[in-house]
Amino acid sequence: MIIEAVQDTFESEIAKAEKPVVAYFWATWCQSCKAMAPMIESISKDNEDRFQVVKVNIGDSPELAEKYGVMSTPTIIVFKEGQKPKTAQTGYAAKAWLVEVLEKYV
């Protein structure tokens, strides 16, 4: 299940997570985000027992984008044990590569 987070809920979603959190920063106008959306859904569904996916629309939460240094979309940041980001990926990524990167954190 993917959780949609905003400025007021993002930090609590990260803090209460019992497994790594994949934060997916996206925008409605971003063509690469539209292309990646089904892949993010699939990764979330296939790995829901291993990590949590949290989506953040940067248009709705520009403060979060600024706080985490999101300069372009899509950007994926992995949090583990509620700690600051462990890795980040900016731009479109192939599903196999992205799953391989996420495997390091579960």
Side-chain angles (χ1 to χ4, degrees):
M1 175 176 82
I2 295 178
I3 296 171
E4 295 203 27
V6 294
Q7 177 70 32
D8 296 339
T9 62
F10 184 78
E11 300 294 334
S12 65
E13 292 296 340
I14 301 298
K16 73 180 181 182
E18 297 178 2
K19 48 194 167 188
V21 175
V22 176
Y24 174 59
F25 290 83
W26 66 286
T28 56
W29 46 262
C30 170
Q31 294 303 313
S32 293
C33 297
K34 290 177 184 178
M36 278 187 69
M39 178 177 52
I40 296 297
E41 292 279 342
S42 175
I43 289 172
S44 175
K45 186 177 181 181
D46 294 347
N47 296 281
E48 64 186 347
D49 59 327
R50 303 173 73 211
F51 52 81
Q52 177 64 55
V53 176
V54 175
K55 284 175 59 173
V56 178
N57 180 334
I58 65 165
D60 295 338
S61 300
E63 307 88 359
L64 286 174
E66 183 177 339
K67 179 176 181 176
Y68 292 103
V70 175
M71 302 299 281
S72 63
T73 55
T75 293
I76 296 173
I77 301 174
V78 180
F79 296 81
K80 190 168 183 181
E81 298 172 0
Q83 300 300 309
K84 62 189 279 191
K86 297 296 181 186
T87 192
Q89 162 63 32
T90 300
Y92 184 86
K95 182 177 179 179
W97 182 87
L98 188 54
V99 169
E100 184 178 316
V101 168
L102 297 175
E103 288 290 329
K104 298 176 187 176
Y105 298 97
V106 292

